[in-house]
Amino acid sequence: PPVGGTMNFPLYFAAAAVFGTDVGTYFDLPSANAAVPVAKGGANVVKGVLEFPNTGASSAQIHFRLPDDWTGIISAKIMWSSDAVVGDMKWNLATSFTDTSNVNDPDDNAFNTADTVTQTVPSNANDEIEASIASITTTGAVAGGICNIKISRDSADGSDTIADSVFLTGLEIVLRRLV
């Protein structure tokens, strides 16, 4: 890209990892209504995922530092699958930002209203699916600050019609940076 332009800077966060018979997550989990780290795979490939059950609301969070040359736009791709072959899935992605010079409690900022994406599950169980949000809410964000992202599912939402668990494989965040 020419000097003075922008370039995409992707960050990929795997949902979880398998360690022998143990599964751990890279995401921060709340004390209640948390997504559950589980192992998925076949005879050759095994991977950790976060299970969002069909039993109400569940969530997980990730955080990272925004680069000093961040331009103000963030997009997201949610990689997921389900055992279900019928229904729609509604993902919620909410952001909260902390300015590193913030004199308030940096760990208790309110989340912005969630951006959402609804997607129909494919007719083949366990197919990997990508759901995209072209521009997520950045109210309160500053270059060099901390971005907190909460990904959630509320299976009681009328737009979420999958009568089964869904599994988060990973989250790709794309930042725009100056060059």
Side-chain angles (χ1 to χ4, degrees):
V3 173
T6 61
M7 69 178 217
N8 291 342
F9 184 76
L11 302 171
Y12 181 76
F13 302 98
V18 178
F19 308 95
T21 57
D22 296 326
V23 182
T25 181
Y26 296 111
F27 281 67
D28 300 317
L29 300 177
S31 58
N33 301 320
V36 180
V38 297
K40 295 263 304 179
N44 297 308
V45 175
V46 64
K47 63 184 171 190
V49 297
L50 282 176
E51 179 180 10
F52 289 76
N54 188 38
T55 56
S58 52
S59 69
Q61 298 179 27
I62 196 84
H63 61 276
F64 56 91
R65 184 181 178 278
L66 292 169
D68 292 332
D69 58 357
W70 171 66
T71 65
I73 298 172
I74 302 174
S75 60
K77 283 186 184 175
I78 302 163
M79 280 63 77
W80 66 283
S81 66
S82 179
D83 295 334
V85 295
V86 175
D88 293 331
M89 172 56 200
K90 181 179 178 183
W91 287 105
N92 305 292
L93 206 64
T95 55
S96 171
F97 298 92
T98 304
D99 181 345
T100 54
S101 64
N102 190 346
V103 295
N104 298 319
D105 183 354
D107 294 325
D108 202 21
N109 292 336
F111 280 91
N112 291 311
T113 300
D115 295 294
T116 64
V117 59
T118 302
Q119 197 170 31
T120 300
V121 71
S123 59
N124 294 318
N126 297 310
D127 276 359
E128 288 287 332
I129 309 158
E130 286 186 4
S132 297
I133 301 175
S135 182
I136 62 176
T137 302
T138 57
T139 303
V142 295
I146 303 299
C147 175
N148 303 289
I149 294 181
K150 176 168 59 173
I151 186 166
S152 62
R153 175 193 190 191
D154 182 359
S155 64
D157 186 301
S159 297
D160 186 326
T161 60
I162 294 178
D164 206 341
S165 292
V166 296
F167 303 95
L168 177 69
T169 304
L171 177 64
E172 181 181 82
I173 299 298
V174 179
L175 307 172
R176 305 313 183 277
R177 298 179 72 173
L178 293 174
V179 290

